[in-house]
Amino acid sequence: MSAGYTLGVDALRDALGRRIVPVLVVICVLSIMALDSCTSCAPAQIEVNGVPQTLEGLPGGMSLLTLVVLGLWVIVLAGILSADHLRNTLEEGYASLALSRPVSRTSYAFARLAGALGVALGVGALLLAAASYLVAVRAGLPLTPVLGSSLACVLGAVTVGALSMTLSLHLPRLPSVLLVFAAVGVIALANLLGATRVDPGGWLSAIDQWGPPLAAGLAAPLQDWLPADYTRLDSGPLFLRLLFWSAIALFQLGFEFRRLEIRG
Amino acid sequence: MPAVELSGVTKRYGVRQALCDVNLSLEQGSALGLLGPNGAGKTTALRLMLGFARPTRGQVRLHGRDPADPEARRGLGYLPERLSLPSHVRVRDLLVLHAQLAGLDGPECQRQVEATMSRTGVADRAQDLLGDLSKGLRQRVGFAQAFLGPPQLLLLDEPTSGLDPIGIRDAREWIGEARERGCTILISSHILSEVERTCDQIAILHEGLVRASGRFSEVVGEGESLEDAFVRWVRG
């Protein structure tokens, strides 16, 4: 049994024992109740200049929006949980015992990240499964696009979790968590403006084009739920960019943790 | 090849110099007591040996390897000065985790965990949460995790801290048994009698400098107590 696996299991057990987990369970139940409402849209009938029209894209659009919001919530959760899952063990001093063993710093940091991601993605799997079930039953939408969106969610969670854990090596927990909220919010806004072809210009445009496409990556595979004449995001380059950012974030976490001096 | 070697090691934290040009060598199977007043640099020296910090200048080696290399720490047991254990974890689970990290697996892992718990007097508390244990019992668990492997090199920082007189005597026995197995031991301590009873060499650190090192007879004068010698070397 490798040290990384042993530490990963320990980190997951540690994450599951945290006080935030019962809160997450309650949030999950409330979210599923909210999903019940968000996925009950039917094609709407409206009149434009006295001519009746059917908004065929409404169920697909609402379903897409619901899954993107859920995905972003899972990504934020990964950032919040990661913000102290490594830092705590350093502050409390548990890390020094494990790191006196033949364990690499990188293995230790990645194991702690895996523990935090285990909880965040577990919650995410539950929520996305519930949402997908409701979408399939109520709107009759195909579920294949959810797989692509889930993959984007995993990559986004790895990216934000690893960056948040790296930040937490230098910042206290609260600023790290606030930065996670701010960063995910700004990226989602930049992606939204980019997807609607509104050029925000300046740094928002740069974030949309070069930053981790957290919201765009979640939305792109789900576009099949929209009518054909809607704007198309190209999934392939978005996935590659997310993959690149998760690799960068993991590398940065390993690099920073190897450089860190640990209290004995 | 020495089990532990510090060559010309200097460690600075900003403008503060914690260690200055320290040279120490510990042969396999020997036991060194690292003595010094508070802030002398003892814990910093241990941190460097564990790879927790890097020297500003000089070189640290464990069995010829850089301690930052995980393989250098294979066969190492460590008991920190401020032992902190996760309060929500059970005694046995913590020891199984550390046995696995030390490279043990399957029945051998279980056998060693049981034997070590029994030897360190925590077997009847195996299912207890670490947070429910007294300071003395937690220190015993600290010893238990350090003895898993079993180690070829033991780094013990103030090992008897929190132990009652019986615990101190037990700890001395465990360290003696480790020595008999050929384990190399480095004890950092304020308690001179503890070092005198368990080690065959001493090094006296003061203000980051090694003031004296060698066998007891080389450091302690004829008819002089270790305490008198310690004061003489520290005060100059």
Side-chain angles (χ1 to χ4, degrees):
Chain A
M1 201 183 304
S2 76
Y5 175 79
T6 304
L7 287 169
V9 171
D10 179 61
L12 181 60
R13 198 166 42 196
D14 196 14
L16 286 170
R18 291 173 60 170
R19 276 172 295 180
I20 196 173
V21 171
V23 178
L24 290 178
V25 171
V26 172
I27 291 174
C28 261
V29 172
L30 292 175
S31 302
I32 290 170
M33 287 162 68
L35 282 174
D36 184 41
S37 158
C38 292
T39 53
S40 55
C41 293
Q45 296 284 337
I46 59 168
E47 280 193 11
V48 179
N49 295 328
V51 182
Q53 292 194 348
T54 305
L55 291 178
E56 295 289 351
L58 192 61
M62 282 306 292
S63 301
L64 182 147
L65 191 64
T66 304
L67 264 79
V68 168
V69 169
L70 281 182
L72 286 174
W73 159 238
V74 173
I75 289 170
V76 167
L77 186 60
I80 294 171
L81 291 173
S82 303
D84 63 358
H85 207 49
L86 177 59
R87 185 187 171 84
N88 263 2
T89 66
L90 292 168
E91 282 182 344
E92 301 291 336
Y94 318 146
S96 65
L97 280 186
L99 290 169
S100 69
R101 302 287 176 192
V103 170
S104 74
R105 296 267 190 110
T106 308
S107 298
Y108 188 78
F110 285 6
R112 296 307 296 179
L113 178 64
L117 289 178
V119 172
L121 293 175
V123 168
L126 192 69
L127 289 177
L128 288 176
S132 306
Y133 171 77
L134 291 171
V135 160
V137 168
R138 294 190 171 159
L141 295 167
L143 285 181
T144 321
V146 177
L147 293 176
S149 191
S150 302
L151 179 62
C153 183
V154 171
L155 291 175
V158 169
T159 305
V160 172
L163 289 176
S164 163
M165 198 168 258
T166 308
L167 269 178
S168 75
L169 298 176
H170 307 288
L171 292 175
R173 182 173 188 253
L174 187 61
S176 303
V177 169
L178 291 176
L179 273 171
V180 165
F181 272 107
V184 174
V186 167
I187 290 168
L189 177 66
N191 287 171
L192 177 69
L193 293 174
T196 51
R197 295 290 189 258
V198 175
D199 185 9
W203 53 274
L204 270 180
S205 181
I207 287 172
D208 181 47
Q209 284 177 31
W210 304 107
L214 301 177
L218 290 166
L222 304 174
Q223 291 175 112
D224 294 345
W225 290 350
L226 299 176
D229 54 346
Y230 276 75
T231 306
R232 293 281 144 179
L233 292 166
D234 198 350
S235 292
L238 289 173
F239 271 117
L240 284 178
R241 185 138 56 95
L242 262 179
L243 198 61
F244 170 77
W245 271 98
S246 27
I248 291 282
L250 289 171
F251 173 81
Q252 187 68 19
L253 173 62
F255 178 75
E256 290 287 326
F257 192 54
R258 279 197 302 275
R259 277 175 10 125
L260 192 78
E261 297 216 339
I262 291 165
R263 286 185 308 164
Chain B
M1 182 191 301
V4 181
E5 190 172 27
L6 278 74
S7 316
V9 169
T10 294
K11 179 64 184 174
R12 284 198 196 91
Y13 295 105
V15 291
R16 191 175 72 81
Q17 190 153 276
L19 290 176
C20 179
D21 196 25
V22 168
N23 291 290
L24 271 180
S25 181
L26 188 55
E27 292 303 321
Q28 185 70 44
S30 56
L32 174 80
L34 196 56
L35 300 173
N38 291 330
K42 303 187 297 292
T43 299
T44 299
L46 285 180
R47 292 176 67 225
L48 294 172
M49 291 173 203
L50 288 155
F52 292 174
R54 284 172 299 282
T56 309
R57 206 172 51 232
Q59 187 173 274
V60 182
R61 288 286 179 265
L62 294 184
H63 300 291
R65 289 173 183 258
D66 182 345
D69 174 1
E71 280 307 307
R73 301 191 299 274
R74 194 168 290 284
L76 188 151
Y78 168 56
L79 180 61
E81 180 185 6
R82 283 187 294 271
L83 177 66
S84 176
L85 301 170
S87 54
H88 59 281
V89 174
R90 295 186 192 284
V91 172
R92 187 194 302 276
D93 293 342
L94 179 95
L95 295 177
V96 168
L97 170 74
H98 279 276
Q100 287 171 346
L101 293 180
L104 299 172
D105 209 351
E108 177 56 16
C109 171
Q110 292 302 326
R111 192 195 65 73
Q112 270 213 32
V113 167
E114 297 303 327
T116 310
M117 282 197 299
S118 172
R119 186 68 192 98
T120 51
V122 294
D124 57 339
R125 309 297 293 269
Q127 294 304 322
D128 286 12
L129 294 174
L130 290 160
D132 294 341
L133 301 184
S134 67
K135 191 169 190 291
L137 275 171
R138 281 205 300 271
Q139 193 70 2
R140 282 174 179 268
V141 173
F143 265 106
Q145 66 78 31
F147 287 136
L148 289 166
Q152 297 160 349
L153 170 63
L154 267 175
L155 300 181
L156 308 173
D157 197 356
E158 304 290 351
T160 53
S161 157
L163 289 176
D164 58 24
I166 292 172
I168 291 173
R169 176 170 282 202
D170 287 348
R172 208 180 298 138
E173 275 180 25
W174 305 330
I175 294 169
E177 287 167 9
R179 282 203 68 187
E180 282 168 19
R181 283 198 309 267
C183 179
T184 311
I185 296 168
L186 191 148
I187 299 177
S188 162
S189 181
H190 287 107
I191 305 170
L192 303 182
S193 60
E194 179 183 301
V195 168
E196 207 163 16
R197 290 184 194 201
T198 47
C199 300
D200 52 21
Q201 296 174 47
I202 49 172
I204 298 176
L205 269 176
H206 183 47
E207 294 175 339
L209 292 163
V210 176
R211 295 296 174 96
S213 70
R215 301 203 158 269
F216 277 86
S217 56
E218 295 164 344
V219 177
V220 181
E222 189 72 33
E224 192 181 34
S225 69
L226 178 57
E227 186 179 305
D228 290 340
F230 177 78
V231 172
R232 176 167 58 83
W233 285 111
V234 168
R235 292 208 171 141

